[in-house]
Amino acid sequence: MTDVATLWEVGLPLAGTAGGLGYAKVRAPRVFWSLVGLPVTRVRFAMNYHSTMDVCGLTVQPSRLRAFMVRNLARRPDVQPVPPKVRRVRGTSTGLRVTLRLPAGLEPADVMAASERLRHAWGVHSVTVVETKPGFVELRMTGYDVLRKVRMPRSRRPSGPMTVPVALREDGTAFVRDYLKVPHALTLGANQSGKSMYQRNLVAGLARLPVALVGIDCKRGVEQRGYAPRLSALAITPEEADGLLDGLVGEMEDRFDMLSAHGVADLWALPEDVRPAPVVVLVDEVAELFLVATKKDEERRDRMVTQLIRLGQMARAAGIFLEVCGQRFGSDLGKGATALRAQLTGRTVHRVNDKQTAEMGVGDIAPDAVVTVLTIPPDRPGVAVAGDTSGGWSRIRTPELTAAEAAAICAKYAHLTPDLPAVAAYRPVLPAGGAAPGPVPLGKPAPATA
């Protein structure tokens, strides 16, 4: 009887602990990883690192000097192949970071090709290989699916004047939209794929910066009208978009005159006291700009596309950046679409309805990412593939942000909205109380703010 009581007293806490860990693994994966996953993975990594590298083909034959020293000084007849040197091992709240020094004969592509085998060998959710500097790579392991429930990293300090953390990468780091590195971008995705969520997070981040936001939403402003307190200009019809784009090109030309007068080639080289605010142009559903019904509409379309291409080709130096969004974007939209897409070097592609759209988005910059786009499940809105012309790409997911929350952020930072004289006629008028503006008559620009 005593033994039974003792077993009961010992087993009950153990069962409770096991149940608690099981619950944490499902409901609180960060807690489970910190308590169980990280220690186990570190031990597994330390114990089988050399054998894993050897099996995965990530070892090289030692140099003649090393072989000579092993045979003659260490008195060992067998000379083992050399794996990458482990320089640093660091645990995080989502995984494990390992910095490796590659020996002569190995390159980062070799380690990248073996990432799936390394994932299985060490029992982690994913392994991402990043080249940090010549001869060094970092293995970014995640202990669980960080994209299942997105939690952005706590430390999100801006690394530049035009950087916005928008989403979470599958390696646990923040996906940052850096306009100085990638000035223009294209976002694609089918309905209910999370495309609007991505735009909300982008606008919410930009609203906090001293930049001018210009909206073009030809769906009568249903997506962007809530951002009106933070917008320097807003067009909600193709007619208004036509005039607004003309104004932006005029703004660009005025800024080029300023750059020439100061003898500099870039907006950021101007003295701070004369430097105009950077401008981010948000184009929602770009296909609406390409649709035509009459000959007059076709002339307007050609003019708008030409202006967008001019902005894409030259506006970066003047501090004007494009964010173009749509469901499809290819030559089937009409003349000029391919030329415009070539200027949009940043690509973010959510779930799409066909392979051709995936190839339009990332096929020209990262062909191996097309398959990943096509496997995005419909029950995970916000998951996307992000890449640029450097050839690098990764899976990301944006955190949940409602339209009301994004509108509230825009209203909070409305005092940062700069005036753009070239497009002042399209500045949305806010009623008393700062709410979003009411409808604007079709074909007429919004009156200037008093």
Side-chain angles (χ1 to χ4, degrees):
M1 189 69 178
T2 303
D3 293 340
V4 173
T6 302
L7 289 173
W8 177 261
E9 292 175 357
V10 174
L12 188 60
L14 291 176
T17 302
L21 291 176
Y23 178 84
K25 185 176 183 179
V26 176
R27 298 295 183 182
R30 282 184 177 236
V31 176
F32 180 83
W33 170 254
S34 299
L35 294 177
V36 179
L38 180 58
V40 170
T41 302
R42 293 194 72 149
V43 171
R44 184 182 293 151
F45 174 82
M47 292 183 63
N48 64 13
Y49 173 74
H50 283 78
S51 60
T52 298
M53 290 287 132
D54 191 21
V55 169
C56 292
L58 298 178
T59 56
V60 298
Q61 292 301 317
S63 64
R64 294 181 179 180
L65 176 60
R66 182 185 180 91
F68 175 82
M69 295 180 66
V70 169
R71 292 193 185 99
N72 295 275
L73 299 183
R75 301 295 182 183
R76 289 169 48 192
D78 58 326
V79 182
Q80 299 296 324
V82 179
K85 182 72 173 178
V86 178
R87 291 298 189 187
R88 185 184 183 191
V89 179
R90 177 171 60 93
T92 69
S93 61
T94 60
L96 191 68
R97 302 289 178 85
V98 180
T99 302
L100 301 179
R101 173 79 163 86
L102 299 182
L106 278 184
E107 61 180 6
D110 299 325
V111 187
M112 294 175 186
S115 60
E116 191 66 14
R117 285 172 283 171
L118 297 177
R119 179 179 79 86
H120 288 287
W122 293 322
V124 293
H125 179 77
S126 68
V127 175
T128 304
V129 182
V130 179
E131 182 181 1
T132 54
K133 60 181 179 179
F136 289 82
V137 297
E138 184 178 67
L139 304 182
R140 297 178 179 176
M141 309 180 205
T142 55
Y144 58 94
D145 185 2
V146 298
L147 300 185
R148 185 171 67 87
K149 186 177 181 181
V150 177
R151 289 184 60 185
M152 295 294 287
R154 293 179 180 177
S155 58
R156 287 183 283 172
R157 297 178 181 176
S159 55
M162 291 290 293
T163 57
V164 180
V166 184
L168 186 69
R169 295 181 186 271
E170 62 181 342
D171 62 5
T173 61
F175 170 70
V176 177
R177 182 75 177 87
D178 190 339
Y179 287 90
L180 299 188
K181 293 181 179 179
V182 183
H184 312 303
L186 173 66
T187 303
L188 295 177
N191 286 326
Q192 303 298 316
S193 64
K195 187 169 73 268
S196 296
M197 193 80 70
Y198 178 90
Q199 292 293 313
R200 290 173 198 160
N201 280 275
L202 182 64
V203 170
L206 288 170
R208 298 175 167 90
L209 302 179
V211 302
L213 302 181
V214 173
I216 298 177
D217 182 5
C218 292
K219 296 185 297 183
R220 300 302 187 269
V222 294
E223 291 287 348
Q224 298 183 357
R225 193 179 293 279
Y227 313 147
R230 189 59 183 82
L231 296 179
S232 297
L234 173 63
I236 64 172
T237 67
E239 294 82 3
E240 293 178 10
D242 184 18
L244 179 55
L245 288 171
D246 284 342
L248 287 172
V249 171
E251 176 73 18
M252 176 184 70
E253 293 172 346
D254 291 343
R255 293 186 177 202
F256 280 138
D257 290 339
M258 180 183 295
L259 296 179
S260 178
H262 284 80
V264 297
D266 188 87
L267 178 85
W268 304 101
L270 288 172
E272 189 172 350
D273 57 336
V274 300
R275 183 192 307 154
V279 180
V280 178
V281 184
L282 307 163
V283 182
D284 187 81
E285 199 50 69
V286 66
E288 291 296 318
L289 300 180
F290 284 82
L291 296 178
V292 296
T294 65
K295 184 68 175 178
K296 182 179 179 180
D297 292 340
E298 185 175 346
E299 294 174 357
R300 185 189 65 231
R301 188 274 309 273
D302 293 344
R303 186 167 56 252
M304 286 192 295
V305 173
T306 299
Q307 300 295 51
L308 278 172
I309 293 174
R310 291 188 66 193
L311 290 172
Q313 289 176 338
M314 302 186 297
R316 179 206 60 81
I320 301 177
F321 311 98
L322 298 179
E323 282 287 344
V324 178
C325 183
Q327 295 186 40
R328 282 180 61 86
F329 198 82
S331 58
D332 55 331
L333 287 181
K335 185 171 59 176
T338 303
L340 175 59
R341 187 184 64 184
Q343 303 299 325
L344 308 175
T345 53
R347 307 289 176 82
T348 302
V349 184
H350 297 74
R351 178 178 55 83
V352 295
N353 293 325
D354 56 89
K355 183 180 179 181
Q356 288 73 24
T357 304
E359 291 174 341
M360 290 175 193
V362 293
D364 56 337
I365 62 172
D368 53 333
V370 173
V371 175
T372 305
V373 171
L374 297 175
T375 58
I376 296 176
D379 60 345
R380 283 205 168 186
V383 174
V385 168
D388 55 48
T389 51
S390 65
W393 62 273
S394 60
R395 285 206 317 157
I396 65 171
R397 191 177 190 185
T398 48
E400 292 186 11
L401 185 69
T402 66
E405 290 171 337
I409 293 173
C410 289
K412 179 180 178 181
Y413 294 95
H415 62 282
L416 296 179
T417 306
D419 291 322
L420 293 179
V423 292
Y426 299 90
R427 178 78 177 261
V429 178
L430 302 179
V440 177
L442 299 185
K444 297 181 181 180
T449 302

